[in-house]
Amino acid sequence: MALEQPGDKPGEMRSMVTDTAGSFTAQQKEYLDGFLRALAGRPAAATAEARTSSTPDADREALPPGKQAQLAWLAAGKRLSKEEKIKFDADPLDAWPRIAELSAQDKLPEGEDVFRLKFHGLWNVAPAQNGMMCRLRVPGGVLRAYQAEAIAAAAEAYGGGYVDVTTRANLQIREIPGRHMINLLTDLHDAGIVQIGSGADNIRNVTGNPTCGIDAREFYDVLPLCRQLHHHILHDRTLYGLPRKFNVAFDGGNSISALEDTNDIGLKAVRVEAGHGADHGIEEGVYFRVALGGITGHGDLAKDTGLLLKPEECLPVIVALIKVFIANGDRGNRKRARMKYVLDTFGIPKYLDETQKLLAFPLRRLPESQCRFAPVVDKGAHLGIHPQRQAGLCYIGVDVPVGRLSAPQLRGLAALASRFGSGTLRLTVWQNLLISDIPEDSLDGALKALGALGLTHQPDPIQAGLVACTGAEGCKFGMAPTKSTALAISAHLRGRLPLDLPVNIHLTGCPHSCAQHFIGDIGLIATSVDRPASADESEYKGPGFHFFVGGGFGSQGRMAVAARKSVPVSEVPAEVERMLALYLAKRRAGEGFTEFAGRHSDAELQSLFAITAPSASVEFSAADVAAQKAPAAAAKPASDAAYAMAGKGQP
């Protein structure tokens, strides 16, 4: 059957040929549904464009900023993307009745509903898993015990019986049948967990330091700022008309990083000492420096703007910065609809000028050299036992293999936090969690209870920095299994190398880079491998990974450089071992991987870690391994259940 579909230019049509003899896949149905809707909607689109030119200015100004931006885009003769058309026709935030309808019919969303339901934190992840995924909102990553218990109950009643800790210090529930969607959301709301805007073109979970308020070295406790912004977002509909997703993070200068420079807006606490800001009329105290445009999947860390904000100025400035993005973001090309591309077009000075127009107070600036920054973060502070700023209290950093917890484990952690601490769980961007406010004399009991849950606090150089997105095990975009591959790396390396410092190894399943492979010491991104047989290698067709090395964040910020291409999944653990062995053989005494990479150029790193023959590996003796300060063998091995859960839903 021959059909016509819109071409690349307005008014242009081109042929599309389909075979009607066979049945359509779910993806084909979704495409055709959108295609036919687009054809049927051409007159409506024309009407919208006509309405654009006839709408009085006063009426336009009464519309939400997102709708104003769409009308301005159409008025300029440009075409809205598919997703923008969906938002233009009806606000996805009003889709609650549709969720109830689909739940009553026990159906998963299809067509345009797939995009609409993401505004309510619901993803149809088929074919990777036959069901929905629900992403929550946990501001600052801080979760109360009663909330953790409610999430565990929801995961058991409505999902697959487990949760995933994400790289935004958040939680996901998976394997949710269509019939359970509305009850899941209702139960979560009853527990104070509101997932509105946790997906699609919205401001995602607001992150901060997991040790906020308990860290002796922090400049400022950012949790109140995270919560303030979180609740403002939930109650301000003008902040939901974004061109694409948006991330905001606060860093208070703590031991554990918030990775604020990987966000669209990153705010970092600094101190201005007496006299240092006098020439700029700035008094001594704690302020927040603002960086903009971080998007590591597109190869950029956020760039410092020179702005210096008082804590009470953060909210209005963030809102103004977002509104400038709403007004000027790309509404036609989804690949260029992030804040980075507005900054590329405007430049930071113009962007800040537009922001200033929306504020009632003047923005202040101060050179970085006039500010005192917190020391480099402790890459191991999210695991193990650490003293708090409160005398006699400690927190325990709990290792969560590849970020996955069973519902009984989450419930047990909530009970542990209530019994021995203050009833608080603190999620981290490293896909693990902290239990805070534990008296020193209660540590033995807390550790015993932790062990009974099959979890450990033991510092481990590999587990400390091992990060994996969902990958092909649970995401339709994933091109290779990430969580099970990460566990295989950990198991393979245990006891093999004399690692004495944490190494960040990030595995991401697709170009969306949810695991931020570009900032890892070693970063892996999934790919399809088609390797012909050769004298040294056998033929292979299947999933694999490209390797990158030398990434960093914060004061050591750097994009990793390509090192190896198309490594089959089964060969990944040995390749990671080879790279780490080379680092250990060539580093200076006591030098971490990030510092080691920092004294080499991109070309030097690529040359060092590229492989020319299998004999490029470096061997270490058993004595070398035994001499390490924090032996990997001391960590509790991942259980068979952990491996089984990592592969849950794998196609």
Side-chain angles (χ1 to χ4, degrees):
M1 178 177 65
L3 297 175
E4 287 187 321
Q5 63 176 348
D8 296 327
K9 300 178 181 179
E12 178 185 69
M13 304 294 287
R14 55 189 174 88
S15 175
M16 181 181 76
V17 179
T18 62
D19 180 5
T20 58
S23 61
F24 292 113
T25 66
Q27 287 180 318
Q28 288 172 329
K29 288 179 180 179
E30 181 180 342
Y31 176 82
L32 288 173
D33 177 72
F35 166 65
L36 293 173
R37 284 175 182 266
L39 285 180
R42 288 180 66 83
T47 302
E49 292 172 11
R51 189 168 71 245
T52 298
S53 60
S54 61
T55 303
D57 290 343
D59 291 343
R60 287 195 201 180
E61 292 178 1
L63 295 172
K67 182 69 73 174
Q68 293 183 41
Q70 290 174 323
L71 289 172
W73 189 267
L74 290 170
K78 301 176 184 178
R79 302 174 67 183
L80 296 173
S81 67
K82 171 186 172 183
E83 290 79 6
E84 288 295 321
K85 289 178 182 177
I86 294 172
K87 291 186 291 185
F88 188 92
D89 292 341
D91 192 337
L93 292 177
D94 297 326
W96 184 270
R98 180 58 176 159
I99 299 173
E101 181 182 3
L102 289 170
S103 297
Q105 298 170 353
D106 194 15
K107 289 184 177 180
L108 301 181
E110 296 181 350
E112 294 180 355
D113 282 336
V114 172
F115 179 68
R116 289 193 184 97
L117 266 62
K118 290 179 183 178
F119 281 70
H120 297 262
L122 293 169
W123 274 255
N124 184 349
V125 296
Q129 289 178 327
N130 185 26
M132 303 295 291
M133 178 270 283
C134 182
R135 182 184 294 156
L136 313 182
R137 296 189 78 105
V138 184
V142 176
L143 198 65
R144 294 297 180 186
Y146 74 89
Q147 293 176 315
E149 291 169 356
I151 293 168
E156 287 179 325
Y158 307 122
Y162 62 93
V163 297
D164 284 340
V165 184
T166 77
T167 54
R168 289 204 65 75
N170 202 355
L171 290 175
Q172 295 177 354
I173 300 173
R174 292 184 163 270
E175 299 186 52
I176 305 160
R179 64 184 178 277
H180 288 329
M181 291 188 293
I182 200 74
N183 288 334
L184 171 75
L185 298 185
T186 301
D187 283 9
L188 292 174
H189 288 184
D190 285 345
I193 303 293
V194 182
Q195 76 302 320
I196 289 291
S198 61
D201 302 346
N202 297 295
I203 307 166
R204 303 297 180 83
N205 193 48
V206 181
T207 55
N209 308 98
T211 54
C212 52
I214 63 173
D215 195 330
R217 58 171 271 178
E218 78 178 353
F219 286 175
Y220 195 89
D221 178 359
V222 299
L223 182 58
L225 295 176
C226 292
R227 296 182 69 249
Q228 180 188 44
L229 178 58
H230 166 80
H231 287 286
H232 186 94
I233 293 167
L234 292 180
H235 295 92
D236 186 351
R237 290 284 285 255
T238 67
L239 297 180
Y240 286 89
L242 280 68
R244 277 294 255 128
K245 64 179 285 188
F246 203 91
N247 293 324
V248 183
F250 296 89
D251 190 288
N254 299 50
S255 301
I256 306 175
S257 173
L259 295 182
E260 80 289 342
D261 53 347
T262 67
N263 289 255
D264 295 280
I265 301 177
L267 300 100
K268 188 173 188 64
V270 297
R271 291 189 185 277
V272 176
E273 307 292 358
H276 282 211
D279 293 343
H280 300 266
I282 297 174
E283 299 177 350
E284 67 175 308
V286 175
Y287 296 82
F288 283 88
R289 291 194 73 87
V290 180
L292 299 178
I295 175 172
T296 59
H298 293 223
D300 261 351
L301 292 169
K303 297 176 176 61
D304 183 78
T305 63
L307 289 186
L308 206 63
L309 306 180
K310 295 180 179 179
E312 63 269 22
E313 295 171 339
C314 289
L315 178 64
V317 172
I318 290 170
V319 170
L321 287 166
I322 293 170
K323 288 186 175 180
V324 172
F325 171 60
I326 292 173
N328 297 281
D330 196 309
R331 300 281 173 169
N333 183 351
R334 300 282 287 178
K335 293 181 179 180
R336 296 185 60 83
R338 294 292 297 273
M339 185 190 205
K340 160 189 162 57
Y341 295 102
V342 180
L343 291 167
D344 286 349
T345 301
F346 275 20
I348 288 177
K350 180 179 178 181
Y351 199 103
L352 297 184
D353 286 345
E354 294 300 309
T355 302
Q356 180 66 81
K357 295 175 184 178
L358 303 177
L359 295 168
F361 55 88
L363 294 170
R364 71 178 66 78
R365 295 167 176 80
L366 190 68
E368 288 183 287
S369 60
Q370 300 300 305
C371 297
R372 180 160 71 86
F373 289 79
V376 174
V377 298
D378 178 355
K379 288 187 177 181
H382 58 286
L383 290 178
I385 301 170
H386 300 269
Q388 295 182 188
R389 66 190 303 174
Q390 295 83 6
L393 297 182
C394 300
Y395 73 82
I396 301 174
V398 180
D399 177 20
V400 181
V402 295
R404 182 155 290 181
L405 289 167
S406 68
Q409 284 178 320
L410 180 58
R411 185 179 292 109
L413 287 168
L416 192 161
S418 296
R419 179 183 175 188
F420 296 101
S422 57
T424 301
L425 300 177
R426 297 163 175 262
L427 306 175
T428 84
V429 296
W430 307 107
Q431 296 182 307
N432 74 315
L433 58 87
L434 317 180
I435 304 174
S436 62
D437 308 310
I438 300 176
E440 292 175 354
D441 57 8
S442 297
L443 279 173
D444 288 345
L447 294 177
K448 183 177 180 180
L450 185 65
L453 296 173
L455 297 169
T456 181
H457 71 290
Q458 291 285 354
D460 178 283
I462 297 300
Q463 282 296 131
L466 193 60
V467 175
C469 73
T470 305
E473 289 112 336
C475 176
K476 64 183 178 182
F477 298 112
M479 300 176 69
T482 51
K483 289 189 179 295
S484 56
T485 303
L487 286 172
I489 291 171
S490 178
H492 176 82
L493 293 177
R494 190 167 295 118
R496 286 177 177 262
L497 298 173
L499 288 168
D500 53 357
L501 295 170
V503 178
N504 289 338
I505 304 173
H506 296 221
L507 294 85
T508 196
C510 76
H512 289 123
S513 190
C514 292
Q516 300 180 323
H517 64 287
F518 276 124
I519 64 167
D521 292 322
I522 299 176
L524 294 82
I525 182 170
T527 186
S528 294
V529 179
D530 187 355
R531 185 177 70 186
S534 67
D536 298 321
E537 297 175 321
S538 60
E539 180 183 9
Y540 177 83
K541 290 185 178 182
F545 291 88
H546 298 317
F547 276 69
F548 295 77
V549 295
F553 55 89
S555 61
Q556 299 172 315
R558 178 181 183 176
M559 291 290 103
V561 297
R564 286 290 314 281
K565 291 186 65 175
S566 304
V567 177
V569 167
S570 62
E571 299 174 18
V572 164
E575 177 61 14
V576 173
E577 180 188 1
R578 183 189 71 84
M579 289 186 168
L580 291 177
L582 285 169
Y583 145 66
L584 289 171
K586 296 180 178 295
R587 71 172 182 171
R588 295 170 180 168
E591 188 174 48
F593 198 110
T594 308
E595 291 74 23
F596 167 78
R599 59 181 177 85
H600 290 84
S601 68
D602 288 357
E604 288 171 338
L605 286 177
Q606 289 177 315
S607 176
L608 174 63
F609 287 101
I611 187 169
T612 56
S615 60
S617 62
V618 179
E619 298 294 335
F620 290 93
S621 68
D624 290 330
V625 176
Q628 62 179 311
K629 294 179 182 177
K636 181 180 177 65
S639 65
D640 292 339
Y643 279 91
M645 290 186 68
K648 228 171 149 58
Q650 184 174 353

